[in-house]
Amino acid sequence: MAHELVALETEGWHALSTGPEEATAFYDRVLAREPVIMLTNGLRITDRSQIIASMGGPPWTSFEIIEPLETYLGPDVGFLTYKVRADRDGTPYTALLSSVYAREDGEWKLALHQHTPY
């Protein structure tokens, strides 16, 4: 199980850095059936299709995942916390992120994701 969640999260950032089609396709595949996303502007989204659509924005120019900590609560639930340093067309972004993954039908699915700017 080691580093599975870091790999998934990195794949997500790569999709978000490639373009809207790649990002929405990735999150359509990885998002849980009943997800929750908590964003920096105080927005909480629980509608799966709305979350997927929100991932189709302008791509990130660059990103760096810093100090990832992957923890498992059992064979079917794990969480990842890390810092991210990213850039979108010259605008820097830094945040603390947490992602909770749960297995659905034998695959890791993103159930909860939260950004806290710093």
Side-chain angles (χ1 to χ4, degrees):
M1 284 195 298
H3 307 294
E4 285 181 289
L5 305 183
V6 173
L8 265 175
E9 203 83 0
T10 301
E11 187 180 347
W13 275 98
H14 279 294
L16 290 166
S17 299
T18 303
E21 290 179 10
E22 293 82 356
T24 56
F26 174 81
Y27 285 99
D28 186 43
R29 179 176 58 85
V30 173
L31 208 56
R33 285 186 283 269
E34 296 186 34
V36 176
I37 302 293
M38 308 282 286
L39 299 174
T40 58
N41 56 2
L43 184 64
R44 179 178 62 190
I45 308 172
T46 58
D47 180 89
R48 190 176 190 280
S49 60
Q50 186 180 2
I51 293 168
I52 292 168
S54 74
M55 299 300 181
W60 292 96
T61 309
S62 65
F63 72 91
E64 178 185 10
I65 292 175
I66 304 164
E67 299 175 6
L69 177 61
E70 189 170 308
T71 305
Y72 293 89
L73 303 176
D76 296 326
V77 178
F79 64 91
L80 176 66
T81 58
Y82 61 97
K83 298 175 187 174
V84 71
R85 186 177 310 132
D87 185 89
R88 182 179 277 146
D89 293 327
T91 302
Y93 176 73
T94 55
L96 301 172
L97 282 77
S98 59
S99 295
V100 176
Y101 287 86
R103 287 198 197 270
E104 289 180 2
D105 304 321
E107 297 182 358
W108 286 116
K109 300 295 181 177
L110 181 60
L112 172 68
H113 184 70
Q114 180 172 359
H115 287 232
T116 303
Y118 75 93

